[in-house]
Amino acid sequence: MSAYPEGHKHLLENLNPEQRAAVTLPHESALILAGAGSGKTRVLTTRIVWLILTGQVSPHGILAVTFTNKAAKEMLTRISSMLPINTRGMWVGTFHGLANRLLRTHYREAGLPQSFQILDSQDQLSAIKRLMKAMNVDTEKYEPKKVQWFINGHKEAGRRARDAEAYDEYSMRMAELYEAYDAQCQREGVADFPELLLRSYELLYRNEPLRQHYQDRFRHILIDEFQDTNTLQYRWLKLFAGPHTALFAVGDDDQSIYAFRGANTANMAEFEREFAHGNVIKLEQNYRSHGHILTAANTLIAQNTHRLGKNLWTAEGDGEPIRIFDAYSDQDEASFVVDEVRALNREGVNLSDMALLYRSNAQSRVLEHALFSASVPYRVYGGLRFFERQEIKHALAYLRLLTNPEDDGAFLRVVNFPTRGIGARTLEQLADSAARSGASLWQAACTGGGKVAGFARLIEDIKAATRDLPLAEAIDHVIESSGLADYYRTDKEGADRLENLNELVNAAALFSEESEEGTLKDSDPLRAEARVESYALDAFLAHAALEAGEHQAGAGHDALQLMTVHAAKGLEFHAVFITGLEEGLFPHEQSTLKGTSAHEENGLEEERRLMYVAITRARRRLYLSHAQSRMLHGQIRYSLPSRFLDELPEQVLMHLNRRSEPSYPSSVQQPDSSYSTKRQTQTGNDTGYKVGQSVAHAKFGTGIIIDFEGRGADARVQVKFRDAGTKWLALAYAKLSPA
């Protein structure tokens, strides 16, 4: 310790040797490979304080970049508590926040008015629509949303309209619109979010004296979550780095899970070559999790090939084994989770110290239903409860109009969603007309003409088409016929919303099953003669309203935390449940789609990193669960357990149950299920095999039987293999064995 300045030794107390080495680095660039729970925020903050207190740099000479405003605030609060200085003037913030600061300071050089306004995503879309209207552009051929993606995609890659890849009539027109949009923004003195970073990058790139000024000023640049940087952000950082600047990049390539946002994991390896020159400090001691959890995480992530490499360890001991639950169905899985949560809570673990994780938002619905039914308070972290999500509320509004067209709230919500060219002025006139005659908006629309009358006809057509359909099928028809499904199919970020809409169909199928096989009894014989579906719909809408009610815990109340794995990054909990560990769900089917081998590998490695993040959220107890059958699109589907379960070391696992074959819920027997009644009841056939049974094949690997036909020597089975897809096999030749 004698090598350190006497007056500042207190800063280094309670730091492990690697943390201390990172904090006290001399004036040189370095990559800090900081594993989950290794104290990276503490290291980053202490490094800044150490540099200032030891007189190596003034607060003025530090540039610290974070990814969220929350992280920037936390960093400044910590610095303030350790240093007797005003941190207000320090350049600590997000990429966009610091880019905005740079442009405000040098607005003239950047070609912007002093009071330029920032457009959020919705403002930007409105500006694009206004531009396209003025240019008389066909919005069906050139959808405003796609124009927005084109513009932002190029900006985030550092390309202006003149540099855009334009190789046909369509892309050339898109580039023209990008150029016209830029000109409009310049005229109006506004900048969208991607513009902030691109404009500030261009400013520094072109203006050598200004670039020199900042390179001389910032002696130390520190970057948090470096693995999440995209190509432009890295290029932007490099412009601030002069020959005498030390860059301190903190990150974990194993936790890079934002490739879909443009994050480039290769930036870490590139940084090591360009700046660190092999000066890498690994923070591997974990202060969060017990040993078995870390062993599982280490073993899993070792399957990834493109890693910088590290191995988490703890001084805390092995702790409890990881609990594996093999559920018959998604409802069985949800019941198990609820039972375990209640048991842990009775043992003294706060609900808020437990997290329920899932790969996609749509999975929350079954879990929410089980929690609601058991009166367990919960909170959806970083998102909305299922029935509060935008796309679900849209679909419910269409359903409400089917049962009660006088519902003005439902009418206004969807009359122009998806867009039908019905403007605000038209709706004002419609409302005036309705008010004058004391009628509903629906009545006014039906007696009027034009596009609002067209909307009323659409609702009537949907009503007629769904009159004789079971509830789940009717809702599926509404989602398609209303245009909601097509709208989200063409939306760049619509995949999750589509999954949620499919889950609404599942909710209806389950509701029908729980409501006496889909028939809601009525004591009135006159009503009993009528089609039950309308009453089923009313009852379902009431059910949705109740589940969307006040059950989610309010702020400050103890509540179970529900979230996607992406939302869980950076958080930790006493007990963590990772659900839906099935092939196609986690890893997500999109990641394993056949394409180039490189694309396939990258997609799977990203999913594995996501699983690694999920595992490392747990401090003491970890549950992993999967379901043999799950309802998807209103139909029962059978799945194989996730390959990630196979990649965990057996010695740290405790199997709570082992099941050879699934039970079949009553809904499987319904005619609209994915497999016909005939085939589901053939489980006692002469082949010795059953639907839902796991089997192994010498060439295709492991799979699950999903269908079969024929008997004796002619018997064939349809097997869904984990890696080889779905295949029909003749049993006489296939040589299958139970798996």
Side-chain angles (χ1 to χ4, degrees):
M1 203 55 106
S2 58
Y4 305 120
E6 272 305 314
H8 310 305
K9 284 182 185 177
H10 66 282
L11 283 178
L12 309 178
E13 288 172 3
N14 302 318
L15 294 180
N16 67 40
E18 290 76 25
Q19 290 175 328
R20 191 179 296 125
V23 166
T24 59
L25 268 171
H27 189 90
E28 60 190 25
S29 295
L31 175 63
I32 312 301
L33 203 55
S38 64
K40 73 172 178 71
T41 307
R42 184 183 183 189
V43 165
L44 201 56
T45 311
T46 310
R47 169 71 174 165
I48 293 172
V49 173
W50 176 261
L51 289 170
I52 295 169
L53 279 183
T54 54
Q56 296 180 60
V57 68
S58 74
H60 183 75
I62 285 173
L63 174 68
V65 189
T66 65
F67 263 80
T68 64
N69 289 314
K70 183 184 170 193
K73 251 180 218 166
E74 188 183 334
M75 194 179 287
L76 286 167
T77 303
R78 287 196 186 194
I79 293 169
S80 296
S81 69
M82 297 165 78
L83 275 176
I85 61 166
N86 186 345
T87 58
R88 278 182 71 93
M90 290 184 72
W91 278 56
V92 176
T94 64
F95 280 101
H96 287 106
L98 294 170
N100 176 55
R101 185 169 180 172
L102 187 73
L103 293 174
R104 296 282 174 195
T105 309
H106 305 285
Y107 65 91
R108 285 196 188 86
E109 296 95 325
L112 287 165
Q114 189 172 8
S115 58
F116 71 87
Q117 297 301 301
I118 299 169
L119 303 179
D120 64 20
S121 184
Q122 205 50 53
D123 294 334
Q124 185 190 26
L125 189 58
S126 298
I128 289 167
K129 286 177 178 175
R130 186 158 44 82
L131 171 80
M132 292 174 74
K133 191 174 180 182
M135 292 174 67
N136 203 24
V137 177
D138 181 355
T139 53
E140 287 196 9
K141 186 175 180 182
Y142 301 93
E143 292 174 47
K145 214 79 180 169
K146 288 186 178 173
V147 175
Q148 185 179 31
W149 302 336
F150 180 89
I151 292 169
N152 291 351
H154 279 86
K155 284 190 179 187
E156 285 162 4
R159 292 192 294 266
R160 289 290 179 195
R162 61 183 174 274
D163 308 313
E165 293 176 8
Y167 42 83
D168 57 15
E169 185 192 342
Y170 182 82
S171 55
M172 286 167 73
R173 185 62 164 153
M174 291 291 255
E176 284 172 17
L177 290 169
Y178 177 10
E179 194 162 20
Y181 167 77
D182 262 0
Q184 176 178 285
C185 289
Q186 192 62 37
R187 249 187 346 266
E188 296 176 2
V190 295
D192 54 52
F193 256 73
E195 181 71 19
L196 294 176
L197 204 62
L198 180 54
R199 183 73 69 109
S200 61
Y201 169 80
E202 290 171 338
L203 170 67
L204 289 173
Y205 185 79
R206 289 196 310 261
N207 194 321
E208 192 181 349
L210 196 65
R211 186 169 71 247
Q212 190 69 53
H213 165 77
Y214 282 104
Q215 287 181 355
D216 290 343
R217 172 179 172 171
F218 295 127
R219 302 277 294 169
H220 288 269
I221 299 176
L222 302 96
I223 315 106
D224 193 15
E225 306 284 7
F226 190 75
Q227 77 279 351
D228 294 334
T229 53
N230 63 28
T231 303
L232 182 60
Q233 287 165 340
Y234 185 35
R235 285 165 60 190
W236 183 89
L237 280 168
K238 287 198 285 187
L239 289 179
F240 286 97
H244 307 295
T245 307
L247 283 86
F248 188 89
V250 182
D252 182 2
D253 57 327
D254 290 334
Q255 293 190 76
S256 179
I257 58 173
Y258 294 118
F260 65 95
R261 289 186 194 163
N264 184 0
T265 52
N267 285 350
M268 292 190 77
E270 199 174 318
F271 176 86
E272 189 187 343
R273 283 194 306 273
E274 284 190 89
F275 293 99
H277 306 303
N279 191 15
V280 178
I281 295 175
K282 296 182 181 182
L283 304 184
E284 296 173 298
Q285 185 173 356
N286 178 285
Y287 294 93
R288 176 185 301 157
S289 308
H290 274 162
H292 283 330
I293 293 168
L294 297 181
T295 299
N298 288 332
T299 308
L300 175 93
I301 204 64
Q303 301 287 323
N304 277 5
T305 51
H306 306 296
R307 298 177 63 223
L308 294 171
K310 63 177 182 334
N311 210 50
L312 298 179
W313 63 277
T314 181
E316 291 252 348
D318 289 338
E320 299 177 30
I322 296 165
R323 292 160 168 83
I324 309 284
F325 184 73
D326 175 4
Y328 285 132
S329 66
D330 47 358
Q331 296 165 58
D332 184 27
E333 179 187 49
S335 296
F336 164 76
V337 169
V338 169
D339 289 347
E340 288 295 313
V341 164
R342 294 168 87 176
L344 283 166
N345 192 224
R346 284 194 298 272
E347 289 167 18
V349 182
N350 289 335
L351 290 173
S352 57
D353 211 12
M354 294 183 252
L356 183 42
L357 309 186
Y358 34 81
R359 174 63 181 82
S360 68
N361 266 309
Q363 290 167 251
S364 81
R365 205 266 322 154
V366 174
L367 298 162
E368 286 188 58
H369 179 65
L371 292 165
F372 173 81
S373 302
S375 299
V376 176
Y378 68 90
R379 188 177 296 112
V380 178
Y381 181 90
L384 297 168
R385 286 173 295 167
F386 182 79
F387 285 108
E388 288 179 341
R389 292 168 191 161
Q390 176 208 81
E391 60 282 9
I392 299 300
K393 293 186 80 143
H394 287 331
L396 292 174
Y398 277 105
L399 295 172
R400 282 161 53 191
L401 286 178
L402 295 187
T403 66
N404 176 21
E406 316 294 313
D407 185 334
D408 282 357
F411 183 95
L412 285 170
R413 184 174 189 95
V414 293
V415 64
N416 198 40
F417 191 92
T419 181
R420 298 181 178 88
I422 300 170
R425 182 74 187 122
T426 304
L427 290 176
E428 280 173 22
Q429 290 168 345
L430 188 71
D432 289 344
S433 170
R436 281 196 304 273
S437 57
S440 65
L441 294 174
W442 171 264
Q443 290 167 337
C446 290
T447 55
K451 289 174 180 174
V452 286
F455 172 71
R457 283 194 299 276
L458 171 68
I459 299 298
E460 289 291 359
D461 289 347
I462 293 174
K463 191 172 182 176
T466 56
R467 188 168 285 120
D468 295 330
L469 293 178
L471 182 62
E473 284 187 31
I475 292 175
D476 192 41
H477 183 91
V478 168
I479 290 166
E480 288 292 341
S481 304
S482 64
L484 284 175
D486 281 340
Y487 176 83
Y488 291 118
R489 279 188 195 109
T490 59
D491 190 328
K492 189 181 179 185
E493 295 169 358
D496 272 0
R497 299 194 187 275
L498 268 177
E499 283 188 13
N500 286 334
L501 288 171
N502 288 328
E503 191 55 36
L504 184 65
V505 177
N506 295 344
L510 179 63
F511 178 80
S512 295
E513 186 192 323
E514 290 178 344
S515 305
E516 300 180 79
E517 301 299 324
T519 304
L520 301 180
K521 305 293 185 192
D522 202 298
S523 57
D524 184 343
L526 291 174
R527 295 181 78 184
E529 284 177 15
R531 292 291 304 170
V532 299
E533 279 71 19
S534 60
Y535 302 113
L537 181 54
D538 285 338
F540 179 69
L541 288 168
H543 160 80
L546 287 168
E547 285 215 9
E550 297 303 312
H551 194 67
Q552 178 163 265
H557 291 96
D558 191 33
L560 179 67
Q561 306 293 303
L562 270 66
M563 66 195 78
T564 64
V565 182
H566 279 102
K569 188 166 177 281
L571 305 177
E572 59 180 75
F573 304 90
H574 175 91
V576 170
F577 297 80
I578 308 174
T579 61
L581 282 166
E582 297 130 44
E583 288 292 301
L585 269 183
F586 200 0
H588 198 278
E589 60 189 352
Q590 291 298 320
S591 71
T592 54
L593 288 176
K594 299 293 178 191
T596 65
S597 58
H599 174 80
E600 230 177 294
E601 186 184 8
N602 290 341
L604 188 56
E605 292 209 349
E606 177 98 351
E607 289 291 296
R608 194 172 283 112
R609 290 194 292 270
L610 199 55
M611 181 66 179
Y612 176 84
V613 166
I615 289 172
T616 54
R617 299 311 93 199
R619 291 198 296 268
R620 295 295 176 264
R621 190 174 284 197
L622 178 61
Y623 295 87
L624 309 177
S625 61
H626 63 96
Q628 296 184 26
S629 68
R630 188 174 294 275
M631 193 173 279
L632 294 167
H633 313 293
Q635 300 177 335
I636 302 296
R637 294 284 188 268
Y638 298 97
S639 298
L640 290 163
S642 169
R643 69 189 72 193
F644 297 152
L645 291 168
D646 293 339
E647 293 172 2
L648 302 178
E650 196 60 39
Q651 70 268 23
V652 305
L653 307 180
M654 179 171 75
H655 294 268
L656 300 178
N657 60 342
R658 288 187 184 270
R659 293 172 176 162
S660 58
E661 60 183 66
S663 66
Y664 301 113
S666 55
S667 58
V668 174
Q669 305 295 334
Q670 302 297 323
D672 61 337
S673 276
S674 56
Y675 314 109
S676 69
T677 304
K678 178 186 171 195
R679 288 190 174 139
Q680 287 297 343
T681 54
Q682 272 187 325
T683 54
N685 65 85
D686 61 356
T687 67
Y689 292 101
K690 302 174 182 179
V691 171
Q693 182 179 349
S694 294
V695 291
H697 185 273
K699 181 179 176 185
F700 303 129
T702 57
I704 194 163
I705 297 175
I706 62 172
D707 204 351
F708 56 84
E709 64 183 29
R711 300 180 76 81
D714 297 323
R716 297 199 313 153
V717 291
Q718 190 180 29
V719 184
K720 182 181 177 184
F721 290 102
R722 175 182 284 171
D723 297 316
T726 302
K727 299 186 183 293
W728 278 101
L729 302 171
L731 280 175
Y733 308 104
K735 292 187 178 153
L736 295 173
S737 59

